[in-house]
Amino acid sequence: MSIAFHALHHADRPLLLPNAWDFASAAALAAAGFDAIGTTSLGVAVAHGLPDAAGLARAETLALARRLVRLPCPITVDIEAGFSTDPGEVGELVWELAELGIAGINLEDGRGDRLAAPATQVALIRAVKSRAPAVFLNARADTYWLGLDASVPATLDRARRYVDEGADGIFVPGLAREEDIAAVTAAVPVPVNVLHLPALGLDRLAELGVRRVSTGSLLFRAALNATVTTAVAVRDGEPLPAGIPSYAEVDALSR
């Protein structure tokens, strides 16, 4: 699966990666024909009553990974900042994911409301690539996401260091201006990943050099909205939203 997942980043159009939070959401996305499925750390954490980006959802993330490898497409897992400050422990976690059959991981350099020192993140990336070299390591630079050093030069400084240590892709959530996207993709020698941007379709992002587009927490948040909207419709005697799958269709996802 890792080889196939790497190849998806070099297709004619950017890889559209939907992000799931449990087996049912991932299975439904796979059944809809998506080439690969990612996980959303927000969805996984909050679904278990935990805050995102706090390093608390390691067990839940691993448990979900064990289930998702049943699906017939590559799976990439968001491991926040690695769930540890020890590079050896982060490397072992990714090795364990690789042994399960996980094709890729997402590793962020945000630490709550601050950025990790580049040298700290480089040590984690080096450990991961040493222990699990075949896994697609998508190194996330949170300069724009956190609004800290939100500039092309600062982002490229981090991205180049991560690539030098073996990162297979660079993810810059929050990168949205066309000129900034083009500048980053032109300067980074590995596939660049951005979050879905309503104002920029896949074709335009391809023209700007983007190779992967993630939905992030969007689908999880949309599901919460649909849940409450449906419950309110029942309470208020309003028509139900269209497109709700049947019991049998949902149950079949686990077969």
Side-chain angles (χ1 to χ4, degrees):
M1 285 290 191
S2 290
I3 293 174
F5 188 57
H6 278 258
L8 289 172
H9 293 78
H10 301 280
D12 293 335
R13 297 186 83 205
L15 168 64
L16 177 57
L17 187 76
N19 298 89
W21 58 95
D22 61 9
F23 180 83
S25 57
L29 290 166
F34 286 94
D35 293 324
I37 308 295
T39 65
T40 160
S41 64
L42 176 70
V44 174
V46 174
H48 289 89
L50 301 170
D52 185 28
L56 300 177
R58 184 185 190 278
E60 292 76 10
T61 299
L62 265 173
L64 178 57
R66 292 189 184 98
R67 297 186 182 99
L68 296 189
V69 292
R70 293 167 46 190
L71 299 174
C73 63
I75 302 296
T76 182
V77 173
D78 188 334
I79 62 169
E80 299 185 11
F83 302 116
S84 174
T85 59
D86 183 325
E89 291 183 359
V90 177
E92 286 301 305
L93 169 62
V94 180
W95 174 83
E96 186 172 352
L97 290 169
E99 289 292 292
L100 291 173
I102 295 299
I105 59 135
N106 206 61
L107 183 65
E108 63 194 42
D109 65 2
R111 301 291 189 272
D113 60 355
R114 65 182 179 86
L115 290 165
T120 298
Q121 196 69 6
V122 160
L124 298 183
I125 292 169
R126 186 184 300 128
V128 168
K129 294 308 291 185
S130 173
R131 195 72 178 93
V135 170
F136 189 103
L137 194 166
N138 201 38
R140 182 171 134 176
D142 279 346
T143 46
Y144 284 83
W145 186 249
L146 296 179
L148 302 171
D149 288 337
S151 67
V152 170
T155 302
L156 289 178
D157 176 67
R158 288 176 175 270
R160 287 170 176 144
R161 295 185 193 212
Y162 303 162
V163 171
D164 286 345
E165 293 301 330
D168 301 289
I170 295 294
F171 182 21
V172 190
L175 188 65
R177 289 163 44 111
E178 289 196 13
E179 55 267 40
D180 291 353
I181 295 171
V184 171
T185 61
V188 174
V190 297
V192 172
N193 181 187
V194 299
L195 281 175
H196 162 67
L197 299 166
L200 298 175
L202 290 180
D203 290 337
R204 180 55 183 152
L205 288 171
E207 292 172 354
L208 294 172
V210 172
R211 304 312 313 150
R212 172 166 149 182
V213 178
S214 301
T215 61
S217 65
L218 173 63
L219 305 184
F220 175 65
R221 292 182 285 111
L224 293 179
N225 178 66
T227 297
V228 175
T229 298
T230 303
V232 169
V234 172
R235 182 192 67 190
D236 296 346
E238 299 293 336
L240 295 180
I244 298 175
S246 70
Y247 176 95
E249 287 171 329
V250 173
D251 188 55
L253 294 172
S254 64
R255 304 298 179 180

